[in-house]
Amino acid sequence: MKNNGKDKEIFREWMDINPNLSDIDVKLNTQFVLFSNNIINTRCNFCKSYGLNTSEFDVIATLYRSGGKHELTAKELKERTLLPSSGALSNRVDRLESKGLTKRRHDIRDKRSVKVALTKSGLELVQKIHPIFFDVMSEQFSNLSDDDKKSLINIMSKIT
């Protein structure tokens, strides 16, 4: 990931405006914003290439990771995805159903509970694309050694 000196320019601009700012904090925040933008763009572009948005990919990936029947209650799915609300989840499941990738059914034991499952097409899609997803996302770290990656994981685990 190259930023062509953008980080240094942003840092200099902040320090010119307010020299009382902490150098290290400005540099760290600038790097995190640039990196997160790059990760978000890469993830969005990957998902878009398969006709999905990132939230839809999150839903089908979560169902896939659940194993077995690749089925979860709506409540379980909400707890295991990165979506902000049950309304957002419902909206994503609606879209995935219209694409033929998921299906809903009422739980036979608890009629109030709805289960969401991958369809055959949804399962085939996520089986095909999840390894590609990790290859594409891993390119963001291609300049790091395995030891660097382990250090980054350790540092990130302290702040997330």
Side-chain angles (χ1 to χ4, degrees):
M1 176 179 84
K2 295 185 181 186
N3 64 42
N4 297 321
K6 190 175 189 176
D7 58 333
K8 290 175 181 58
E9 179 182 341
I10 292 169
F11 170 74
R12 183 187 48 75
E13 290 170 349
W14 276 118
M15 297 314 291
D16 286 349
I17 289 171
N18 186 347
N20 296 323
L21 292 171
S22 163
D23 288 17
I24 194 77
D25 289 341
V26 173
K27 287 177 181 177
L28 184 63
N29 280 284
T30 301
Q31 288 298 327
F32 267 98
V33 169
L34 291 170
F35 179 71
S36 66
N37 287 343
N38 197 40
I39 289 288
I40 289 166
N41 290 335
T42 301
R43 190 168 174 243
C44 286
N45 290 335
F46 171 83
C47 292
K48 188 176 180 181
S49 73
Y50 289 96
L52 301 169
N53 66 38
T54 56
S55 298
E56 292 167 342
F57 179 74
D58 187 22
V59 169
I60 65 171
T62 301
L63 290 169
Y64 182 67
R65 290 192 319 266
S66 73
K69 295 180 180 180
H70 306 291
E71 177 181 77
L72 294 169
T73 65
K75 182 181 178 189
E76 291 169 327
L77 189 54
K78 167 60 185 96
E79 291 169 355
R80 293 171 68 171
T81 62
L82 303 173
L83 297 171
S85 68
S86 55
L89 174 64
S90 181
N91 180 282
R92 292 334 176 268
V93 172
D94 287 346
R95 283 196 262 171
L96 289 166
E97 274 187 306
S98 72
K99 294 176 182 184
L101 301 175
T102 62
K103 61 185 174 189
R104 285 184 177 109
R105 69 173 179 83
H106 286 282
D107 189 332
I108 53 175
R109 287 174 274 182
D110 181 359
K111 299 288 185 198
R112 297 169 297 165
S113 180
V114 174
K115 293 210 173 196
V116 180
L118 288 173
T119 62
K120 184 176 186 239
S121 296
L123 180 60
E124 289 170 356
L125 178 64
V126 75
Q127 284 174 328
K128 173 186 166 186
I129 70 173
H130 82 272
I132 302 166
F133 172 78
F134 285 103
D135 287 344
V136 167
M137 296 307 293
S138 294
E139 288 175 20
Q140 304 305 307
F141 308 99
S142 63
N143 291 334
L144 301 179
S145 69
D146 284 348
D147 285 341
D148 288 341
K149 291 175 187 177
K150 289 175 188 174
S151 294
L152 183 58
I153 290 167
N154 185 42
I155 291 167
M156 294 297 292
S157 69
K158 293 178 181 181
I159 59 175
T160 57

